[in-house]
Amino acid sequence: MTKRMWMLGLVSLSGTAMGGPLNFVDQTATRVNETVIEPTAEKHVEAGDFDNDGDLDIAVGHALSDFGERTNELYRNDNGVFNEITGAPVIPGFSSPDVTRILFFRDYDGDGWLDMYVVNDENDGFGNGSTKVYINQHPGGVFQGFVDEGVARLPENTLLGSACGGASEDFDRDGDWDTYHGNYPFDEQDRLILNDGTGHFVNGTAGRVAIVGGYVVDVNAADVNGDGKIDLLVTNMGSEGAYIQYNNNNNAGSGDGDFDYTNSTTFLGRSNTENALEAGDFDNDGDLDIYWSNMSGVGDRILRNDGNDANNKAMWTTMGSSTLPPSVTTIASRKAEIGDLNDDGRVDIIVMKETSGDGRPTILRNTTVNGNISFVDWTPASAFQSGSNHEGWHAIIFDGDGNGRPDIFLGSFQGNHVFEVADPVTFDEGDLAGGVIPGVWQGPATMVNGSGNVGDTDVFSVQGLSGGFMSVVVTTPGDVRVEVRNGQTVVGSSDRGGRTIEEALQVNNQVGTLTISVEVLQAAADITANGVVDGADFFAYLDLFVVDDPSADLTGDGVVDSADFFKFLDYFVMGEAAPYQLEVVAR
């Protein structure tokens, strides 16, 4: 039996617990109908089904440090196509001369329909800057539009004033959506605006929000200590730095929603310019870690959550530079968005950029194994161009066309863009003349289906690199060692050990032709790891199968069933072999 025959229908790793392959295609031309391209830097993107038709619509808020009138945008999702419907009659005043910092889709009045809360600042040159609450109008159960009722629903002292960044969560845990406004740049008091359950708000700032001062750049919210209460992740520009405000930690405050009491704040560090904190469980240990993006100075970093201390506050370890690629540690970043892009059970990261000449976003593919956090740059040039075309502040991960795959909606300086997770360009190893993988440099993510017996080494090459990077990921039900060479020089290797362990590495600043070798160390069916495939492996797998051990889930669907058993039989028949999928991105 040849290697090629093994790959024809017997084994498909795309659904294994190691996750599927990852590529992207730009679908902007066919899926975004933008009325007027708003060429502004600061954009916030929000998704929500405001017309209750079962798909996710989009709102984009605009601001710019030069201020002046900016046009916010509202998009209706029509079968995966985003048609702009900004302005009358759907949402009058949405494009009024406000500088919008952030907006939220939430059901503020509790009627089952999404409303919109828009946080503006007053630096617009027009003396405006009022917070707005757009209430969803749906007579007879049919979406009609939005009406701004902020004047009637907000306390007077929140209508005008500076604001930059914010969050909307149920901070006081009474079952409705509240909001938090970060100050910018004159008012030194952040604001907590509490919902009374009907979409009317009261100012809950006094006694609940500390006066920190400074210029709040960004606010996010997450339960970082796992006590069921939503905490605040606040970043400032300047000496106030970045910090966590714990929500009524250990019930030391006046009640839930109180962030101003003794020892309520944890200081994380300083950044001299724009920065943001975003929470996600990068190592799958059950608690939330933090991605800290920075425009300049110290590059992006990850703060690993190591559990709580005696005061029930999270303990943090700053991960070394080897955790992240140079594209986010040496180039200015803006906001990050977190989500599982390839259904492998690990959250990935989109990092937006604002850098002249290299403003493309960076897709960080999560390659963490055994709790050791690591990411590689997985941003194919065929989808995400360099330069200013995709430069911007914010993007979201969502399923915009209902096909079960993530989409990315990106608010860039040059209009809005939609990308979709797609299959990579795929080859069988037997079809590659001389082992050359074509079209990788500055092309899409590419995958090779290969296999080998224990002791075999397959060698592939990628040509034409001119100073960029190459990222490599290999998934297999067996065990392999991966090595990258430039000529005779080893420039990268990965042997993270053990059957089913994904191998991953990134090499940087390479020129010319690189070779990738995949050496098979352990067969797919060698459960006992004794170097042979025999009856002992069959019974060892059967033992795992009977007790529903997660390692018996070979199909990656989260359950142990007959499909997993038959997949093991495929591997058992293959004997001393391990199929693998080699994925490559280079730009």
Side-chain angles (χ1 to χ4, degrees), residues 106-119:
R106 304 283 191 273
D107 180 12
Y108 288 106
D109 58 3
D111 65 354
W113 292 74
L114 294 181
D115 311 299
M116 198 176 346
Y117 192 107
V118 183
V119 179

Side-chain angles (χ1 to χ4, degrees), residues 329-405:
T329 57
T330 62
I331 299 174
S333 297
R334 286 296 191 175
K335 293 184 178 183
E337 184 76 5
I338 295 171
D340 185 357
L341 292 168
N342 60 331
D343 195 29
D344 66 351
R346 298 173 295 188
V347 290
D348 310 294
I349 308 172
I350 301 172
V351 184
M352 295 299 293
K353 301 292 187 60
E354 185 185 355
T355 304
S356 177
D358 194 13
R360 57 93 171 172
T362 295
I363 307 295
L364 295 176
R365 179 171 178 169
N366 193 334
T367 53
T368 299
V369 297
N370 296 327
N372 297 312
I373 297 175
S374 66
F375 291 85
V376 296
D377 190 330
W378 205 264
T379 320
S382 58
F384 299 94
Q385 303 171 18
S386 296
S388 63
N389 191 44
H390 297 146
E391 185 179 358
W393 275 46
H394 190 226
I396 59 169
I397 300 170
F398 74 125
D399 183 4
D401 53 7
N403 66 352
R405 282 185 164 182

Side-chain angles (χ1 to χ4, degrees), residues 421-500:
V421 170
D423 294 327
V425 175
T426 304
F427 301 93
D428 288 335
E429 61 172 323
D431 293 337
L432 298 177
V436 176
I437 310 174
V440 177
W441 175 248
Q442 302 291 12
T446 304
M447 183 173 71
V448 177
N449 287 322
S451 65
N453 290 318
V454 174
D456 287 350
T457 299
D458 296 332
V459 180
F460 307 93
S461 65
V462 174
Q463 301 175 343
L465 275 76
S466 58
F469 74 87
M470 184 174 76
S471 294
V472 178
V473 171
V474 179
T475 52
T476 174
D479 183 17
V480 300
R481 177 187 295 117
V482 180
E483 189 174 80
V484 176
R485 291 176 178 261
N486 191 333
Q488 297 302 312
T489 303
V490 176
V491 294
S493 63
S494 179
D495 183 6
R496 302 199 277 187
R499 188 178 148 274
T500 74

Side-chain angles (χ1 to χ4, degrees), residues 6 100 104 130 155 169 181 192 194 230 243 265 290 355 398 418 426 438 509 525 527 534 573 582:
W6 282 335
T100 294
F104 313 104
S130 60
E169 301 286 345
H181 298 213
L192 178 64
L194 299 175
I230 301 298
Y243 50 89
T265 301
I290 291 176
T355 304
F398 74 125
V418 167
T426 304
N509 303 316
I527 307 298
D534 55 18
V573 170
L582 163 66

